[in-house]
Amino acid sequence: QESGFPAQRWLFPYPDYKTPSLILSKDVFDLERGAEIADQLIRLPVEDYAYPRTMISDDRAVHRSFLSAGLGPDVANSFLVLASADEEALRGRCPQEKLAWHLGGERRSLFKRRHLLRSGESGLRMECHGVGKTGPRRRGWLEQHPDSMGPFIEGRSLEQEFLEACTRADEEMLVGILREWSDLLRAAADRSAGGARVMHPFTPRPSVPALPPDMVDLSLSNFIRPKEGARPVYIDREWVLEGGVDLQLAVLHALWFQALDLVRGGARHPWPEDLSVDDLCLKLVSAAGFEFGKADLRSFYPVEAEFQALVCDRDVEAVFRDLSSAGERTLATSGALCPFRWTDLPGRWLESAGC
């Protein structure tokens, strides 16, 4: 400012400046529900892909405390500053109404998409666009509808409510949240085998509940409660699987990755810390009111491996090995310290690193 650049935009890349997947404007933290929105967008605030680290706290719970205290920008891992002598010149590059850019995770180029959170006279809006051409995309059995726009639904996600219950070690509250989630899924499912189906890994089996074709990713973070006591709203219908989705497999997809996030983020929960991701997943499954066992989990792995391999352009067997290895992690083992992402690394390096 002293050097003649009074027009400024302060932005914060996550997880860091080297490999950002999310960029937040400082204005996000200043919103009425800024702490809640920032937590939903950032989720795991610490990701170190270079070195394993000692886990001394529940990363996300600690970060939520900073956000609630108004200290989000002060503890951000990285910053990005745009400065100009002229506000109009700066606005051309970074309009004030643009609040957040989600750049997407590791995917093949066909399936990449970007999210933009912006403010307006009628409130916050979320715009989602595929990278490159517009419209649906398809590869093999997997169809994607990447483009959408509409009001940003403000409210707590079921994941945020779930994590609060975990932090409190309140198993009754935790069970209540998971049962509400499972009731929503059961209400959306039917038990008819239907007519001819396009075969895919999530193809519903005869005489078992089948979800609609656009209910694949049932993560707790994708269910938002607009206001206290209201029915949660499902917000992400990106993927479409013709013929519907097997309810059991979709539940395992959601709760296995929730268990993985609990372990790799050092989250507290009511159960023993030495539970593996697989065992913790089955605890969540049971709490949600489903009767799945280890045999069902073993059946889930090849299905998930085929899905992730298609989305991320990876070898199915390599993804299967990654899933199996991650499923054995616990908070008490060194494996929990190693980040987990869909990046090919030489097997020898992984072994020498203790991953």
Side-chain angles (χ1 to χ4, degrees):
Q1 188 166 343
E2 292 174 356
S3 300
F5 297 97
Q8 300 169 12
R9 297 284 189 276
W10 286 75
L11 310 169
F12 301 90
Y14 293 89
D16 59 33
Y17 68 93
K18 298 185 295 295
T19 55
S21 59
L22 172 72
I23 299 175
L24 293 187
S25 165
K26 184 179 182 298
D27 292 339
V28 169
F29 301 100
D30 297 331
L31 294 171
E32 182 179 353
R33 305 183 73 158
E36 182 179 273
I37 293 171
D39 177 59
Q40 288 174 358
L41 295 174
I42 298 168
R43 301 188 73 243
L44 292 177
V46 180
E47 296 270 13
D48 190 343
Y49 295 108
Y51 305 101
R53 62 191 178 85
T54 301
M55 302 182 75
I56 59 174
S57 66
D58 180 334
D59 290 347
R60 192 163 171 185
V62 171
H63 192 240
R64 282 198 304 274
S65 296
F66 281 119
L67 291 173
S68 299
L71 297 173
D74 299 87
V75 298
N77 290 342
S78 306
F79 60 86
L80 166 65
V81 183
L82 284 73
S84 173
D86 178 68
E87 175 63 34
E88 193 59 34
L90 184 57
R91 178 173 175 76
R93 287 170 167 75
C94 186
Q96 195 85 41
E97 64 268 17
K98 292 186 177 181
L99 300 178
W101 298 259
H102 193 287
L103 310 176
E106 294 180 62
R107 296 180 175 187
R108 64 168 73 236
S109 58
L110 176 68
F111 291 138
K112 283 187 177 293
R113 70 170 181 166
R114 306 284 167 81
H115 295 71
L116 172 64
L117 177 65
R118 65 164 71 236
S119 60
E121 293 182 0
S122 58
L124 300 180
R125 291 181 62 82
M126 180 66 81
E127 300 176 3
C128 306
H129 299 286
V131 177
K133 67 176 184 177
T134 60
R137 293 99 182 277
R138 189 180 188 97
R139 190 175 184 93
W141 47 266
L142 183 59
E143 185 174 333
Q144 181 200 36
H145 292 206
D147 305 314
S148 65
M149 61 179 63
F152 178 79
I153 301 175
E154 295 188 55
R156 299 186 77 194
S157 69
L158 287 187
E159 184 189 42
Q160 288 173 311
E161 295 180 359
F162 167 82
L163 291 174
E164 180 184 337
C166 285
T167 301
R168 295 180 180 179
D170 188 336
E171 192 166 354
E172 182 178 353
M173 177 181 174
L174 186 151
V175 168
I177 293 164
L178 290 176
R179 291 294 171 93
E180 181 181 15
W181 173 75
S182 67
D183 287 345
L184 291 171
L185 305 187
R186 294 179 199 274
D190 63 52
R191 292 181 176 272
S192 62
R197 297 184 183 275
V198 173
M199 297 301 294
H200 53 75
F202 287 89
T203 296
R205 290 159 292 178
S207 303
V208 299
L211 290 162
D214 58 358
M215 291 190 71
V216 182
D217 187 356
L218 305 177
S219 303
L220 297 176
S221 58
N222 283 337
F223 290 82
I224 306 295
R225 195 185 306 280
K227 59 183 179 180
E228 190 168 348
R231 181 187 179 92
V233 177
Y234 180 51
I235 62 169
D236 192 351
R237 298 181 183 271
E238 171 188 9
W239 303 112
V240 178
L241 299 182
E242 190 175 339
V245 180
D246 187 289
L247 174 63
Q248 176 176 305
L249 293 172
V251 166
L252 287 171
H253 169 85
L255 296 184
W256 188 89
F257 279 99
Q258 187 67 67
L260 178 65
D261 281 351
L262 290 176
V263 171
R264 69 176 183 160
R268 301 297 178 255
H269 51 70
W271 301 292
E273 290 189 356
D274 61 354
L275 285 182
S276 68
V277 170
D278 283 350
D279 290 335
L280 187 53
C281 171
L282 293 178
K283 286 284 188 184
L284 299 181
V285 164
S286 176
F290 295 101
E291 297 181 359
F292 308 154
K294 289 194 173 183
D296 299 304
L297 202 53
R298 285 193 294 270
S299 300
F300 156 76
Y301 273 150
V303 170
E304 186 64 31
E306 191 170 344
F307 176 64
Q308 295 292 347
L310 186 55
V311 171
C312 304
D313 195 17
R314 289 201 61 207
D315 177 70
V316 175
E317 292 185 4
V319 176
F320 181 85
R321 289 195 300 270
D322 283 351
L323 290 167
S324 301
S325 175
E328 297 173 357
R329 294 183 186 181
T330 73
L331 278 173
T333 63
S334 61
L337 308 180
C338 299
F340 178 77
R341 71 191 307 198
W342 306 114
T343 300
D344 270 318
L345 293 172
R348 289 189 298 276
W349 185 91
L350 287 171
E351 292 169 6
S352 66
C355 298

